[in-house]
Amino acid sequence: MTSRPEHLPEQLALLSDVQAAEYISAGLLEGREDVPSIALNKVAEPVSGDEARMRLHRVRDLVDYAMTKFQGERPTAADAWLAPRLHETLRLTRREAAEKRLWTYMALGVAPDYVVWRHLSEPKADGSRGRVARDKFVGPHYKHAFARLWWAAELFRDGSDYRPAVVACGSQDMLNSALRLDIIDHRPTALALVRLIEGGVVRTGREVNALTPAINAAAATLMYDVIAPDVEHDGEPLRDWIAAAESAGPSPRNNLPEGPEEERVPEGAVQRLVAHFEDLFADAPVRGRTPDESD
């Protein structure tokens, strides 16, 4: 199995897809080879400055703890634990988080062993090895092993409260489908989806996969931000939270961390969308659902 990289630098770095291609071998994807970390760090571009939030060991320690904590369990269980803590540890702006080279470096330069541990598929019936999908190292934000967790925590949190993000990350189908949709950037929409899971309205992966396209299609004619307006965005709490990273300790291992002290989502807006989404779900074509179950 792929092992922990050696000779890690102090700060995170940036790695382009072209540079990364040299290090994504069949052996790595099958969990048989390590990434040559010394060679990789010679071509990676260190992030500028010396901010505490960009110190590599903070992320590496978090990943090590996650693999130990969930050893012997299904690796998918680590997502809901790691997502809010990765978000709180890095304290990125959305502009910074849109820098794909940062995530590529994190997957190949910081924790390729985690990517393999979390995403290596089971061996096939014909005896061939399991394999990690290449996009877990260099894919878009909704597929990348670490970017998907950061963005899930960002989009599903309610101000400083990460509990909705934990619920969302507990559903692999929610992560795999909702993160692809632009409408999830609307906070009341994101929280309404979480409420449907918490309330038991949507229980299975097939139901999630039926609901999300129905909500997305309805958004073409019904503007959710009009019927369920969010509060006006204030960037000051985020700036303060990022600045506080200089004196912050490690992200808590047993309790949820706290995000920026932004204003919470208006409850009335969430409730209006919950009711609307329940109506959409009643008519959504769920594979395997009988007409009686729909009623």
Side-chain angles (χ1 to χ4, degrees):
M1 184 65 74
T2 305
S3 57
R4 188 183 195 275
E6 299 179 353
H7 311 293
L8 291 172
E10 291 294 320
Q11 296 289 104
L12 294 171
L14 308 175
L15 191 71
S16 71
D17 285 358
V18 172
Q19 293 168 325
E22 181 178 349
Y23 302 100
I24 304 178
S25 64
L28 173 65
L29 296 179
E30 293 177 355
R32 296 183 289 104
E33 296 178 359
D34 294 331
V35 174
S37 58
I38 294 178
L40 182 144
N41 280 295
K42 286 182 178 179
V43 300
E45 176 188 343
V47 295
S48 59
D50 187 32
E51 294 179 90
R53 65 193 177 112
M54 293 297 179
R55 290 175 189 158
L56 186 150
H57 73 86
R58 292 166 64 91
V59 176
R60 183 65 231 191
D61 290 349
L62 196 62
V63 166
D64 285 336
Y65 191 94
M67 287 192 289
T68 299
K69 179 178 177 64
F70 294 95
Q71 186 176 14
E73 299 185 38
R74 291 181 64 86
T76 52
D79 287 352
W81 184 90
L82 184 56
R85 292 167 176 85
L86 180 68
H87 186 273
E88 190 266 349
T89 296
L90 290 172
R91 304 198 184 198
L92 303 172
T93 65
R94 289 192 179 189
R95 181 185 293 273
E96 290 170 331
E99 173 54 87
K100 190 174 184 292
R101 293 179 299 164
L102 176 67
W103 300 114
T104 299
Y105 178 79
M106 198 169 298
L108 281 167
V110 179
D113 52 327
Y114 177 87
V115 179
V116 171
W117 173 83
R118 169 60 184 84
H119 292 285
L120 184 67
S121 64
E122 294 293 328
K124 297 181 180 178
D126 61 6
S128 58
R129 286 178 173 270
R131 191 176 178 89
V132 178
R134 191 175 186 274
D135 55 26
K136 299 305 177 186
F137 287 99
V138 292
H141 75 278
Y142 54 84
K143 289 187 175 182
H144 188 280
F146 291 111
R148 66 198 287 266
L149 298 180
W150 189 95
W151 280 104
E154 170 68 10
L155 295 170
F156 286 102
R157 65 183 173 88
D158 186 5
S160 64
D161 185 5
Y162 284 114
R163 285 177 295 178
V166 171
V167 175
C169 291
S171 168
Q172 290 301 305
D173 292 283
M174 182 64 79
L175 276 178
N176 293 336
S177 59
L179 285 184
R180 300 169 181 260
L181 307 178
D182 290 340
I183 58 169
I184 212 68
D185 190 48
H186 180 236
R187 297 197 305 164
T189 295
L191 290 191
L193 283 172
V194 169
R195 296 286 179 85
L196 293 180
I197 295 175
E198 289 179 312
V201 176
V202 177
R203 299 182 300 274
T204 68
R206 287 184 299 177
E207 291 175 342
V208 170
N209 290 330
L211 175 64
T212 49
I215 291 174
N216 194 51
T221 56
L222 185 64
M223 299 181 66
Y224 296 148
D225 57 346
V226 173
I227 65 170
D230 198 357
V231 296
E232 187 174 345
H233 177 69
D234 178 8
E236 191 65 29
L238 177 63
R239 289 190 289 271
D240 291 343
W241 184 67
I242 290 174
E246 293 302 311
S247 58
S251 192
R253 282 9 183 189
N254 297 318
N255 303 315
L256 275 179
E258 293 186 358
E261 290 293 334
E262 296 170 338
E263 191 170 348
R264 296 174 71 97
V265 178
E267 180 61 24
V270 177
Q271 290 297 337
R272 281 192 291 276
L273 288 182
V274 166
H276 179 62
F277 293 167
E278 285 180 343
D279 290 341
L280 290 176
F281 178 63
D283 296 327
V286 179
R287 184 167 56 87
R289 182 168 68 177
T290 66
D292 288 343
E293 289 175 320
S294 180
D295 293 340

